[in-house]
Amino acid sequence: MSDMPTLRVEVRARPGRGDGRGRAVLAAAQELGIAGLRGVEIVDLFWLGGDALQPDDAVLDLLHDPVLQQAEVHASGAGTRSGTYVEVARRPGVTDAQAESLLLIAEKLGLRALRHAATGHRYELDVDADADAASLAARLAEGLLANVVVDRFATCAPLAAAFLEPLPTPEATQQVPVRGCDDDALLAVSAERRLSLDLREMQAVARHFETLGRDPTDLELEMIAQTWSEHCVHKTFKAKVQQRELDAAGEVLFEAEIDSIFKTWIVAATAKAARPERLRSVFVDNAGIVAFDDDYDLALKVETHNHPSALEPFGGANTGVGGVVRDILGVSARPIANLDVLCFGPPDLPASALPAGVLPPRRIAAGVIDGIEDYGNKMGIPTVAGAITYDAGYVANPLVFCGTLGILPTGSHRNRANPGDRVVVLGGRTGRDGLRGATFSSMSMGQETAAIASTSVQIGHPIHEKAAMEVVLQARDAGLYTAITDCGAGGLSSAVGEMAARIGADIDLTTVPLKVQGLAAWEIWLSEAQERMVLAVPDAQWEALVQLAMRHGSEATTIGRFRDDGQLVVRHGEREVARLDGAFLHDGIPQRELVGLWQAPAPEPLPPCPEQLTAGLLRLLASPGIRSKEEILRRYDHEVQGGTRGKPLCGVAADAPADAAVLVPLDRARTADGEEARRGVALGVGLAPRLGLLDPYAMAWAVVDEAIRNVVAAGADPDEVALLDNFCWGSPTLPDRMGALVRCTRGCHDAAVAFGAPYISGKDSLHNEYRDADGVRRAIPGTLLVTAMATVPDVGEACSPEGARAGDRLYVLGVSDDALGGSAWLGLDDQLGDIAPAAVPDALADYRRLHAAIRDGLCAAVHDVSEGGLGVALAELAIAARCGLDADLDRAPGSAPERGDGRLFGERGGRFVIAVRPADVRAFEAAMGSERIGRVGEMRADDRVQMAAAGQGRVATRVRALVDAFRGHVR
């Protein structure tokens, strides 16, 4: 292929048309402190290969808009250029979605001469005369424009074409000696192949193959490692744990042996939940499924893509979204909404504070946000909910939670393959991308991670997934399959292995469609190449499925058949490369035995409370975790599909944060008799990682409560809430990490039982640690995300913070105290505090009364109290309404405040601020009928904002100042 004629096409904006992309690069360079750069112009590059390709071929017309752009063609494939510039392109083998689409279109147009394509960019730099141009270009390339994990680049020299060439065909498989190996040798095998299996697990593998009288093949060993990975089997949550919890003085608070924290705390909470008849499928499918109404169910799943996002932020987040969308397709549901929760290092972290080999937080954030935008928008799925927080603990290990909500007709999900059914792979082709991703997620990271794990990173292709989605949904309605699952972590190994766990399957890897030839058998089996689903298809339905796939430009291929003896047999042509018993593969892993030890940190003395708290409130509003995310949210399409009733932003200027998203699922936009559907669904999230540093149990209560408060504030029924739990933690093999995880899980149980809310799905991502050059391990703050989904009986009665207006009376629902432990207020000065906010185990009664008041139209506006406490909640209410307010927080329910900042900024759960029209005051107070409701003030006709607490803490400002601070500007 290297001698094949190649064209290079350079496309730039016509003079005077401008290109906003260059201005964005210039701004990003200035944020990085790169001086001497005055401007950037971006040129799109295309390398085209084909034996008979000519410069005037019609394919060139596909590459530019002649009205806005101009194109230059260089027959050499390299081109010439003087001046200062950087050229960047994907490495061969990394998904290049634009190039793939170009080839597909050319094929459809009959342009057979085009056989290969690759794309890239040239950044032409306008630099100061006295600047070191070469050094500046290199710094830009390495710090901003390219990521060596997936990109190649050149400075002040043109990149040559680099198409993916077939590799020499390797041996189909190799034997890996494990029989008779001592412990050190077994651990060496695990380390060398990055299996992430511990000694007891490797010993179990060796014993199994001793009984078979042979050593495993590389494919068998890789498959066992993937199946037994933390990502796939959740072995820490199923472990036997010796747990001990101590207070700060060393006194024992709790001590027990726990046989599976998953069963003891998560499954048990669901078993005690109210209304079990609503639960269609929990903990067993790709997503949790609950009843929506008599005809439809809702499916929800939240995943993480942390390690890949640390290495390649765009690809990590991009494929995180794509993966969780496939989880929803894997339960035969149509995706109707996405949510994303992101945890980054401080955006202003200086380069000198970065560990070796770690990308700057700003660059990680920019890439992650780009990846989310790219996938969700291109698939036409609205991104409607989420959160972003910042902490130094996430510098080397960002967290990227991706969630998707789907809807499906009741009873339409089929998940039981039959012997004799075809094993069908649908969608994208298999490549070398994404190898060992499941086991990679079970590794701690270090400065060498990018070099050894680059093949675990993938780039998505949302258009391929869009096509596969349409095939799946139409095949579901036509009854063309008996089972379906997502082909995600572990690739075909995981998908086929799970579907065939009890009945077995016979697979021929030579039938698997490949992106490039020359893959080893284990690579074909383990590849996590994106946009693929696996289906069980009866012979009678096969031709109909093939025709359906062709109609949507997707690809369906039979790669084997399901058996009836529980044996998973994998062949490469005539050669058998794996034969594993399903019982051993899925049940043979030894139970882990772990030790958990948690001790409460020593309490920190609180600083004196300032008398004037205005500056403090403005600092809080401007802090990275609280300030407006509008600039990001506007990049996500939250209106597509037309079902979003409660938007991410609300208020007079549509710039205030809403508590939850509210949707009317598209399939139910009209009722059977043609009337507009009124029943909706709300999505909310809870996140409080700083509180977890003080007490993981308190954090669990806080985030469960916050997620439920979010949906209740939007009009959801508190008795129809379903929860998802996502744990991101450090290494469970270290007692302090494990002890905190167990304590957090216990809090999840107690909070869910108190609210009668079941967990329907979840995920854990462990080993989120970074090992620096000195060998010091740094774990993330133990982070629990809880997502709440609940039905809104009538979206016409849904509520939000935006309805308040001058003259409305202000109420606080819920008991306040002065506890500031783990609060954003103390976090401004990197303090944790002494006392965590108390749990509110009887809050459900308040939420039921509030829901009834919302349904009766007695609440003009409702806003939950979370990060930043009452002060921030009231400020956000003023921002939404664009009118002032007076509030005396001494009148809020609870004991008399001792500290003004405690009452203003404490983050105890169970609380809302509520605006009520004067005419509704009497009815509202009668409806609430609770000692935990207090009238604290009213909305003003002017823009003055005044708050007071404890006779000493005072806020006096104007709405304009609140808005400016919320936008990140403190005067």
Side-chain angles (χ1 to χ4, degrees):
M1 190 185 300
S2 58
D3 297 329
M4 179 182 58
T6 302
L7 299 181
R8 174 189 174 103
V9 183
E10 303 177 357
V11 178
R12 68 173 68 242
R14 288 190 176 277
R17 291 294 184 179
D19 187 344
R21 296 178 302 170
R23 292 191 294 272
V25 171
L26 178 61
Q30 291 169 344
E31 288 180 351
L32 289 174
I34 298 177
L37 183 64
R38 294 182 299 197
V40 180
E41 183 176 2
I42 299 180
V43 178
D44 296 323
L45 303 177
F46 300 87
W47 291 273
L48 311 176
D51 292 332
L53 194 63
Q54 298 296 322
D56 57 352
D57 274 343
V59 70
L60 302 182
D61 294 335
L62 300 173
L63 305 182
H64 78 298
D65 180 344
V67 176
L68 302 175
Q69 298 169 309
Q70 58 191 28
E72 298 178 8
V73 181
H74 300 272
S76 67
T80 59
R81 184 73 190 175
S82 60
T84 305
Y85 62 95
V86 177
E87 291 195 352
V88 181
R90 292 293 191 205
R91 291 184 179 275
V94 174
T95 296
D96 186 339
Q98 191 174 9
E100 290 183 18
S101 296
L102 175 60
L103 291 171
L104 179 63
I105 294 171
E107 181 182 355
K108 289 186 175 182
L109 293 176
L111 303 172
R112 307 295 182 187
L114 180 63
R115 293 172 50 204
H116 304 280
T119 68
H121 298 93
R122 181 170 66 236
Y123 300 85
E124 298 180 352
L125 311 178
D126 181 9
V127 302
D128 291 340
D130 58 349
D132 183 342
S135 175
L136 187 151
R139 188 177 174 195
L140 267 177
E142 296 169 1
L144 181 64
L145 303 178
N147 184 339
V148 295
V149 174
V150 293
D151 295 324
R152 57 194 182 97
F153 70 89
T155 57
C156 304
L159 281 175
F163 302 129
L164 183 61
E165 300 193 29
L167 299 170
T169 302
E171 289 186 42
T173 189
Q174 300 175 355
Q175 299 293 126
V176 181
V178 297
R179 294 178 299 160
C181 289
D182 61 22
D183 293 349
D184 290 341
L186 289 174
L187 289 175
V189 170
S190 180
E192 180 182 350
R193 301 193 69 91
R194 295 185 4 240
L195 303 177
S196 296
L197 296 178
D198 66 19
L199 179 58
R200 292 182 67 231
E201 291 159 352
M202 287 298 299
Q203 289 170 337
V205 172
R207 285 194 301 271
H208 177 72
F209 283 95
E210 285 280 3
T211 65
L212 297 180
R214 64 178 179 87
D215 284 311
T217 65
D218 51 4
L219 188 150
E220 289 173 323
L221 193 56
E222 295 281 354
M223 185 179 185
I224 292 168
Q226 167 267 308
T227 306
W228 291 5
S229 68
E230 195 76 74
H231 181 91
C232 294
V233 78
H234 312 292
K235 51 195 175 187
T236 292
F237 272 70
K238 297 176 181 177
K240 184 175 293 185
V241 185
Q242 301 293 333
Q243 174 74 355
R244 200 160 187 251
E245 299 173 11
L246 311 174
D247 64 15
E251 295 296 321
V252 175
L253 299 172
F254 176 84
E255 192 168 20
E257 179 181 272
I258 304 163
D259 188 355
S260 174
I261 57 175
F262 173 62
K263 292 180 180 178
T264 302
W265 303 127
I266 303 300
V267 175
T270 296
K272 300 170 187 175
R275 302 191 61 186
E277 71 278 3
R278 295 181 60 241
L279 306 182
R280 304 290 196 223
S281 175
V282 298
F283 304 130
V284 295
D285 275 311
N286 286 308
I289 307 175
V290 300
F292 176 61
D293 59 17
D294 293 338
D295 302 313
Y296 283 84
D297 296 337
L298 295 170
L300 184 62
K301 182 62 176 289
V302 179
E303 282 271 12
T304 54
H305 233 216
N306 304 334
H307 282 25
S309 298
L311 297 184
E312 209 302 289
F314 176 91
N318 195 249
T319 53
V321 175
V324 77
V325 168
R326 289 196 309 275
D327 279 328
I328 294 302
L329 293 176
V331 294
S332 306
R334 173 178 288 279
I336 60 172
N338 286 341
L339 66 88
D340 299 281
V341 176
L342 313 174
C343 303
F344 300 130
D348 55 354
L349 188 75
S352 59
L354 278 176
V358 172
L359 297 174
R362 278 185 181 274
R363 185 170 178 189
I364 290 176
V368 165
I369 292 162
D370 285 348
I372 292 168
E373 174 193 15
D374 178 81
Y375 218 100
N377 289 5
K378 285 180 179 176
M379 282 207 70
I381 302 172
T383 300
V384 299
I388 305 178
T389 193
Y390 302 85
D391 189 275
Y394 301 120
V395 167
N397 288 273
L399 303 184
V400 177
F401 300 89
C402 303
T404 300
L405 172 69
I407 189 167
L408 67 158
T410 298
S412 63
H413 175 45
R414 296 175 292 278
N415 60 358
R416 187 175 294 277
N418 297 316
D421 284 350
R422 294 170 180 256
V423 181
V424 175
V425 61
L426 170 73
R429 294 192 163 205
T430 298
R432 187 169 268 111
D433 43 342
L435 293 174
R436 297 185 173 122
T439 53
F440 169 51
S441 65
S442 298
M443 298 167 56
S444 294
M445 298 179 68
Q447 56 184 336
E448 75 289 349
T449 299
I452 67 173
S454 59
T455 55
S456 298
V457 175
Q458 312 120 55
I459 303 294
H461 196 318
I463 304 305
H464 282 176
E465 188 151 314
K466 171 69 171 173
M469 178 182 77
E470 297 303 330
V471 176
V472 167
L473 295 174
Q474 292 179 41
R476 175 200 70 189
D477 294 341
L480 301 185
Y481 58 82
T482 59
I484 184 172
T485 194
D486 157 44
C487 192
L492 294 171
S493 169
S494 176
V496 178
E498 291 174 6
M499 294 176 74
R502 298 294 173 253
I503 61 175
D506 201 317
I507 305 296
D508 182 359
L509 295 178
T510 62
T511 63
V512 176
L514 302 179
K515 295 179 184 179
V516 61
Q517 299 304 311
L519 299 183
W522 76 266
E523 292 176 317
I524 298 172
W525 193 233
L526 270 292
S527 168
E528 296 180 10
Q530 297 292 295
E531 289 81 45
R532 297 176 302 159
M533 305 294 294
V534 176
L535 297 82
V537 180
D539 283 341
Q541 311 300 339
W542 169 238
E543 287 301 326
L545 181 68
V546 170
Q547 293 301 316
L548 182 60
M550 291 176 60
R551 191 180 314 146
H552 288 282
S554 195
E555 189 173 26
T557 306
T558 296
I559 63 171
R561 289 186 181 274
F562 289 98
R563 298 163 62 104
D564 62 0
D565 60 359
Q567 295 293 304
L568 181 58
V569 181
V570 183
R571 310 177 194 278
H572 193 273
E574 296 299 318
R575 182 174 179 182
E576 185 174 290
V577 295
R579 180 178 289 267
L580 287 171
D581 177 67
F584 170 74
L585 184 63
H586 294 281
D587 302 322
I589 181 173
Q591 184 181 25
R592 280 197 161 178
E593 296 180 358
L594 298 170
V595 174
L597 175 62
W598 179 82
Q599 183 166 10
E604 295 179 354
L606 294 178
C609 174
E611 288 190 11
Q612 295 297 324
L613 291 168
T614 304
L617 175 60
L618 297 180
R619 279 184 70 199
L620 270 175
L621 287 172
S623 63
I626 293 177
R627 70 184 176 211
S628 172
K629 310 302 187 298
E630 182 176 7
E631 183 179 353
I632 298 169
L633 296 177
R634 294 295 183 197
R635 295 177 57 182
Y636 304 152
D637 189 339
H638 57 265
E639 300 285 3
V640 66
Q641 296 193 20
T644 312
R645 299 299 178 88
K647 321 293 184 182
L649 297 168
C650 65
V652 171
D655 62 353
D659 291 309
V662 178
L663 301 104
V664 174
L666 183 62
D667 298 62
R668 299 294 288 163
R670 296 280 171 184
T671 60
D673 57 4
E675 295 295 320
E676 183 177 0
R678 309 289 292 180
R679 192 171 178 82
V681 57
L683 288 175
V685 299
L687 188 75
R690 280 187 52 78
L691 182 54
L693 297 174
L694 189 63
D695 186 350
Y697 181 88
M699 175 179 71
W701 263 100
V703 298
V704 170
D705 192 351
E706 181 187 6
I708 294 174
R709 283 200 315 277
N710 279 340
V711 296
V712 170
D717 187 338
D719 289 312
E720 293 192 359
V721 174
L723 302 174
L724 273 74
D725 57 279
N726 286 84
F727 296 84
C728 287
W729 230 260
S731 173
T733 60
L734 300 177
D736 62 330
R737 275 66 147 174
M738 190 64 203
L741 177 61
V742 174
R743 183 169 172 84
C744 179
T745 312
R746 191 156 58 88
C748 286
H749 169 273
D750 293 355
V753 170
F755 285 106
Y759 295 101
I760 61 169
S761 183
K763 200 72 172 178
D764 56 89
S765 171
L766 309 178
H767 302 278
N768 288 283
E769 304 207 1
Y770 181 84
R771 187 181 59 257
D772 64 20
D774 298 324
V776 178
R777 298 167 65 112
R778 306 180 189 278
I780 63 165
T783 304
L784 170 68
L785 170 69
V786 169
T787 305
M789 171 179 66
T791 53
V792 179
D794 188 333
V795 294
E797 300 164 353
C799 212
S800 79
E802 69 184 354
R805 66 187 186 202
D808 286 352
R809 307 314 192 237
L810 289 174
Y811 289 83
V812 171
L813 171 62
V815 174
S816 297
D817 59 25
D818 290 347
L820 284 166
S823 65
W825 170 242
L826 294 183
L828 290 175
D829 297 311
D830 293 323
Q831 294 180 318
L832 272 182
D834 54 355
I835 301 173
V840 188
D842 54 353
L844 181 59
D846 288 341
Y847 297 1
R848 287 170 172 158
R849 284 189 284 267
L850 176 60
H851 176 64
I854 291 172
R855 295 213 64 185
D856 289 340
L858 301 178
C859 302
V862 179
H863 193 27
D864 98 297
V865 179
S866 53
E867 193 171 17
L870 287 169
V872 167
L874 289 167
E876 290 174 343
L877 207 62
I879 291 170
R882 283 301 198 274
C883 62
L885 58 84
D886 282 319
D888 180 358
L889 299 183
D890 288 353
R891 301 179 189 171
S895 58
E898 298 179 4
R899 296 175 58 99
D901 57 351
R903 186 53 50 97
L904 270 168
F905 305 132
E907 297 177 6
R908 181 171 177 169
R911 296 182 298 165
F912 300 84
V913 291
I914 306 162
V916 179
R917 304 274 188 255
D920 295 325
V921 162
R922 181 171 297 179
F924 173 76
E925 292 181 351
M928 296 307 295
S930 170
E931 295 180 357
R932 292 204 291 251
I933 189 86
R935 181 170 158 185
V936 298
E938 65 182 53
M939 304 298 293
R940 298 172 59 109
D942 58 24
D943 71 341
R944 293 182 180 276
V945 174
Q946 299 184 135
M947 305 180 206
Q952 56 174 333
R954 297 188 178 278
V955 169
T957 186
R958 293 182 179 272
V959 174
R960 183 71 256 169
L962 299 180
V963 172
D964 287 345
F966 189 59
R967 290 176 175 169
H969 309 294
V970 179
R971 295 175 180 173

